[in-house]
PDB file of all heavy atoms in Angstrom:
ATOM      1  N   SER A  58      11.088  -3.333  -5.200  1.00 98.00           N
ATOM      2  CA  SER A  58      10.279  -2.581  -4.200  1.00 98.00           C
ATOM      3  C   SER A  58       8.947  -2.139  -4.812  1.00 98.00           C
ATOM      4  O   SER A  58       8.805  -2.097  -6.031  1.00 98.00           O
ATOM      5  CB  SER A  58      11.018  -1.354  -3.685  1.00 98.00           C
ATOM      6  OG  SER A  58      11.080  -0.397  -4.684  1.00 98.00           O
ATOM      7  N   GLY A  59       8.035  -1.803  -3.931  1.00 98.00           N
ATOM      8  CA  GLY A  59       6.781  -1.194  -4.386  1.00 98.00           C
ATOM      9  C   GLY A  59       7.007   0.196  -4.990  1.00 98.00           C
ATOM     10  O   GLY A  59       6.362   0.575  -5.939  1.00 98.00           O
ATOM     11  N   THR A  60       7.935   0.896  -4.413  1.00 98.00           N
ATOM     12  CA  THR A  60       8.302   2.228  -4.907  1.00 98.00           C
ATOM     13  C   THR A  60       8.765   2.155  -6.387  1.00 98.00           C
ATOM     14  O   THR A  60       8.346   2.901  -7.234  1.00 98.00           O
ATOM     15  CB  THR A  60       9.400   2.896  -4.055  1.00 98.00           C
ATOM     16  OG1 THR A  60       8.998   2.782  -2.686  1.00 98.00           O
ATOM     17  CG2 THR A  60       9.619   4.329  -4.429  1.00 98.00           C
ATOM     18  N   PHE A  85       1.400   7.175   2.299  1.00 98.00           N
ATOM     19  CA  PHE A  85       2.852   7.111   2.593  1.00 98.00           C
ATOM     20  C   PHE A  85       3.578   7.801   1.402  1.00 98.00           C
ATOM     21  O   PHE A  85       3.113   7.767   0.258  1.00 98.00           O
ATOM     22  CB  PHE A  85       3.262   5.643   2.688  1.00 98.00           C
ATOM     23  CG  PHE A  85       4.698   5.373   2.853  1.00 98.00           C
ATOM     24  CD1 PHE A  85       5.433   6.100   3.801  1.00 98.00           C
ATOM     25  CD2 PHE A  85       5.363   4.413   2.117  1.00 98.00           C
ATOM     26  CE1 PHE A  85       6.797   5.822   3.992  1.00 98.00           C
ATOM     27  CE2 PHE A  85       6.728   4.128   2.318  1.00 98.00           C
ATOM     28  CZ  PHE A  85       7.443   4.873   3.251  1.00 98.00           C
ATOM     29  N   ALA A  87       5.943   7.132  -0.444  1.00 98.00           N
ATOM     30  CA  ALA A  87       6.300   6.280  -1.622  1.00 98.00           C
ATOM     31  C   ALA A  87       5.271   6.359  -2.726  1.00 98.00           C
ATOM     32  O   ALA A  87       5.608   6.040  -3.885  1.00 98.00           O
ATOM     33  CB  ALA A  87       6.547   4.868  -1.185  1.00 98.00           C
ATOM     34  N   ASP A 162      -2.339   1.885  -6.166  1.00 98.00           N
ATOM     35  CA  ASP A 162      -1.335   1.577  -5.156  1.00 98.00           C
ATOM     36  C   ASP A 162      -1.958   0.622  -4.130  1.00 98.00           C
ATOM     37  O   ASP A 162      -2.672   1.059  -3.227  1.00 98.00           O
ATOM     38  CB  ASP A 162      -0.899   2.884  -4.503  1.00 98.00           C
ATOM     39  CG  ASP A 162       0.216   2.627  -3.418  1.00 98.00           C
ATOM     40  OD1 ASP A 162       0.362   1.501  -2.997  1.00 98.00           O
ATOM     41  OD2 ASP A 162       0.862   3.638  -3.081  1.00 98.00           O
ATOM     42  N   ALA A 164      -0.180  -1.384  -2.194  1.00 98.00           N
ATOM     43  CA  ALA A 164       0.963  -1.808  -1.334  1.00 98.00           C
ATOM     44  C   ALA A 164       0.475  -2.318   0.006  1.00 98.00           C
ATOM     45  O   ALA A 164       1.079  -3.198   0.560  1.00 98.00           O
ATOM     46  CB  ALA A 164       1.903  -0.617  -1.128  1.00 98.00           C
ATOM     47  N   GLU A 165      -0.634  -1.704   0.483  1.00 98.00           N
ATOM     48  CA  GLU A 165      -1.135  -2.092   1.799  1.00 98.00           C
ATOM     49  C   GLU A 165      -2.359  -3.027   1.714  1.00 98.00           C
ATOM     50  O   GLU A 165      -2.950  -3.328   2.737  1.00 98.00           O
ATOM     51  CB  GLU A 165      -1.490  -0.833   2.601  1.00 98.00           C
ATOM     52  CG  GLU A 165      -0.322   0.116   2.726  1.00 98.00           C
ATOM     53  CD  GLU A 165      -0.579   1.415   3.481  1.00 98.00           C
ATOM     54  OE1 GLU A 165      -1.744   1.609   3.880  1.00 98.00           O
ATOM     55  OE2 GLU A 165       0.324   2.232   3.623  1.00 98.00           O
ATOM     56  N   SER A 186       3.474  -4.191  -2.482  1.00 98.00           N
ATOM     57  CA  SER A 186       4.771  -4.113  -1.756  1.00 98.00           C
ATOM     58  C   SER A 186       4.904  -5.299  -0.838  1.00 98.00           C
ATOM     59  O   SER A 186       3.944  -5.758  -0.256  1.00 98.00           O
ATOM     60  CB  SER A 186       4.800  -2.849  -0.921  1.00 98.00           C
ATOM     61  OG  SER A 186       5.902  -2.888   0.016  1.00 98.00           O
ATOM     62  N   LYS A 191       4.588  -5.099   5.710  1.00 97.00           N
ATOM     63  CA  LYS A 191       3.373  -5.318   4.953  1.00 97.00           C
ATOM     64  C   LYS A 191       2.701  -6.650   5.321  1.00 97.00           C
ATOM     65  O   LYS A 191       3.265  -7.411   6.082  1.00 97.00           O
ATOM     66  CB  LYS A 191       3.637  -5.179   3.461  1.00 97.00           C
ATOM     67  CG  LYS A 191       4.146  -3.816   3.064  1.00 97.00           C
ATOM     68  CD  LYS A 191       3.075  -2.749   3.125  1.00 97.00           C
ATOM     69  CE  LYS A 191       3.488  -1.314   3.127  1.00 97.00           C
ATOM     70  NZ  LYS A 191       4.561  -0.815   2.376  1.00 97.00           N
ATOM     71  N   GLY A 198      10.672  -5.764  -1.290  1.00 98.00           N
ATOM     72  CA  GLY A 198      10.279  -6.247  -2.631  1.00 98.00           C
ATOM     73  C   GLY A 198       8.931  -5.612  -3.008  1.00 98.00           C
ATOM     74  O   GLY A 198       8.267  -4.973  -2.194  1.00 98.00           O
TER      75      GLY A 198
HETATM   76  C1  PLP B   1       4.856   0.502   1.534  1.00 77.00           C
HETATM   77  C2  PLP B   1       4.174   1.388   0.631  1.00 77.00           C
HETATM   78  C3  PLP B   1       4.702   1.696  -0.607  1.00 77.00           C
HETATM   79  C4  PLP B   1       6.077   1.382  -1.114  1.00 77.00           C
HETATM   80  O1  PLP B   1       6.481   0.104  -1.039  1.00 77.00           O
HETATM   81  P1  PLP B   1       8.027  -0.284  -0.830  1.00 77.00           P
HETATM   82  O2  PLP B   1       8.019  -1.719  -1.145  1.00 77.00           O
HETATM   83  O3  PLP B   1       8.304  -0.040   0.655  1.00 77.00           O
HETATM   84  O4  PLP B   1       8.869   0.535  -1.707  1.00 77.00           O
HETATM   85  C5  PLP B   1       3.907   2.437  -1.517  1.00 77.00           C
HETATM   86  N1  PLP B   1       2.717   2.921  -1.134  1.00 77.00           N
HETATM   87  C6  PLP B   1       2.190   2.669   0.064  1.00 77.00           C
HETATM   88  C7  PLP B   1       0.840   3.180   0.361  1.00 77.00           C
HETATM   89  C8  PLP B   1       2.914   1.914   0.984  1.00 77.00           C
HETATM   90  O5  PLP B   1       2.396   1.707   2.213  1.00 77.00           O
END
Side-chain angles (χ1 to χ4, degrees):
S58 72
T60 311
F85 177 47
D162 183 343
E165 301 178 0
S186 167
K191 298 290 164 35

